[in-house]
Amino acid sequence: MVEMGTTMSSSDQEPGSETSLPALRGTGLFFRLGLIGVIVGGIAGLFLYTGGWLSPHALSPDKMINAFEQANGEHPGFRRNHAKGVCIRGYFESNGQGVALSRAAVFLPGRVPVIGRFALAGGQPYQADMAHTVRSMALLFHLPDGEEWRTGMNDIPVFPVNSARAFYDQLQASVPDPATGKPDPAKMHAFLENHPETAKALKLIFGETVSSGFADSTYNSLNAFRMINAQGVLTPVRWAMVPVQPFVPFDTANPAPLGKNALFDALIANIHANPLQWHLVITIGQPGDPTNDATLPWPPDRQQVDVGVLTINEVESEDTSPARDINFDPLVLPAGIAGSDDPLLSARSAAYAESFTRREGEHKDPSAVSTAETGKQP
């Protein structure tokens, strides 16, 4: 059962509910940030927009997506971030433990179908796979009565910035210098000097041991959300998909060169051999845990609830999958789950829509992960 103890303010609650519940430095850093589109540019669901707290004349979805194109180049028909990916299908089987937290139908005992996508950070659809590139898992849960739950998660512990303006400025600092083809270290240094929260978050990110591939990665929501149960009790939460597959660290001491699609090829082979599984684990926030700043982790002793198992048993190229055209907007939520006061959520939602609108009106080139690759047997 869920421990009670978190009291939400009236501004955080649904109508009628008032209930308690439980300085990085160095060229290596600059190179890695630039290589993956600067790590913040590679987080699924981390497109930013003014959620009403910045002037839309100063910062807009259009301006933010333009910044992605400046940093990554223009690639019509592809997502402006997480451009290289492969699509998947499966199902989520709830164990019923989430009912204490949320009235969402997804947590009732039983199965619901899932469609989604694994991807790599960055806006370059034909980039070569690299072990340290941020990996994402985006899912759409098909619930009864036509409801959907869409979520984009990433294999890093925190988000590197905590405001739309900071993210935009960071993207600007990562735009390649025409003379070198790489970000200007001086600009990135200045950005980090002005944003100590980012330097602190990056220490956590780079302090994590990188897994061997998509299959043994843990994918985190990064942003906080709120869950509302049948009694109207609100609980601040973050969630993660924790792999059943054993964790195997990537050998950073003696890294072997990866093939162009090595991470995706391994994922495809794994799914063909045996379905892959993750536990959906919900972490319960307590008073004082930040819900509006995704750069800050919650204490490791927070209560966690395993609410069920995700099974992925099909893989398909974006060339043929309907998941190619899904906008994984993090604010498409079923009754029983709501956004928190994190401003990045509304930012993501609006900028996702801008990216989606642009690519839907453009010619679609073939995916780097083709139907021939997804059809390969181990």
Side-chain angles (χ1 to χ4, degrees), residues 22-262:
L24 296 177
R25 298 289 185 273
T27 57
L29 168 63
F30 301 137
F31 173 76
R32 289 171 70 185
L33 290 175
L35 188 62
I36 64 175
V38 190
I39 218 166
V40 278
I43 302 176
L46 298 178
F47 295 99
L48 302 178
Y49 174 58
T50 61
W53 43 276
L54 286 177
S55 167
H57 299 292
L59 190 58
S60 67
D62 182 73
K63 189 172 182 179
M64 188 61 69
I65 297 303
N66 288 343
F68 273 98
E69 293 179 351
Q70 292 170 354
N72 295 291
E74 295 186 23
H75 302 281
F78 290 96
R79 297 170 194 265
R80 270 40 181 188
N81 193 12
H82 298 277
K84 184 178 183 180
V86 69
C87 301
I88 47 89
R89 290 181 185 269
Y91 57 88
F92 173 71
E93 186 156 12
S94 170
N95 58 22
Q97 296 299 310
V99 172
L101 290 166
S102 172
R103 65 176 182 266
V106 68
F107 299 122
L108 296 172
R111 290 185 180 184
V112 296
V114 172
I115 187 171
R117 185 174 181 268
F118 286 102
L120 291 178
Q124 300 180 18
Y126 301 109
Q127 64 177 306
D129 293 0
M130 299 188 69
H132 287 83
T133 306
V134 174
R135 304 163 196 162
S136 70
M137 173 194 282
L139 301 173
L140 186 158
F141 297 75
H142 288 284
L143 278 55
D145 299 325
E147 278 196 305
E148 294 181 354
W149 177 20
R150 304 186 189 189
T151 178
M153 299 162 286
N154 298 272
D155 71 336
I156 53 177
V158 292
F159 185 33
V161 298
N162 60 10
S163 74
R165 173 54 63 184
F167 186 59
Y168 179 79
D169 291 344
Q170 189 277 333
L171 277 175
Q172 291 292 294
S174 71
V175 172
D177 185 328
T180 64
K182 299 178 181 179
D184 183 347
K187 291 182 178 179
M188 186 58 63
H189 177 81
F191 172 79
L192 292 173
E193 285 289 315
N194 291 327
H195 293 277
E197 74 281 358
T198 295
K200 185 176 180 180
L202 289 174
K203 287 182 180 179
L204 292 175
I205 292 169
F206 290 129
E208 291 276 299
T209 301
V210 179
S211 76
S212 62
F214 285 103
D216 60 340
S217 290
T218 294
Y219 300 93
N220 299 297
S221 69
L222 301 179
N223 301 110
F225 291 80
R226 292 177 293 149
M227 289 190 171
I228 308 99
N229 68 12
Q231 291 73 44
V233 177
L234 283 86
T235 307
V237 300
R238 288 174 172 172
W239 57 72
M241 286 292 182
V242 180
V244 173
Q245 297 74 233
F247 178 85
V248 178
F250 179 76
D251 188 355
T252 55
N254 299 291
L258 295 178
K260 186 174 180 61
N261 289 345

Side-chain angles (χ1 to χ4, degrees), residues 268-291:
I268 292 164
N270 287 334
I271 294 174
H272 282 316
N274 292 290
L276 299 178
Q277 294 186 313
W278 285 260
H279 289 276
L280 175 53
V281 178
I282 296 174
T283 300
I284 299 173
Q286 294 296 315
D289 291 344
T291 57

Side-chain angles (χ1 to χ4, degrees), residues 77 79 87 117 318-319 321-326 359-360 364:
R79 297 170 194 265
C87 301
R117 185 174 181 268
E318 289 198 297
D319 293 341
S321 173
R324 181 195 66 181
D325 298 318
I326 292 175
R359 61 188 175 87
E360 284 304 290
K364 304 293 190 297

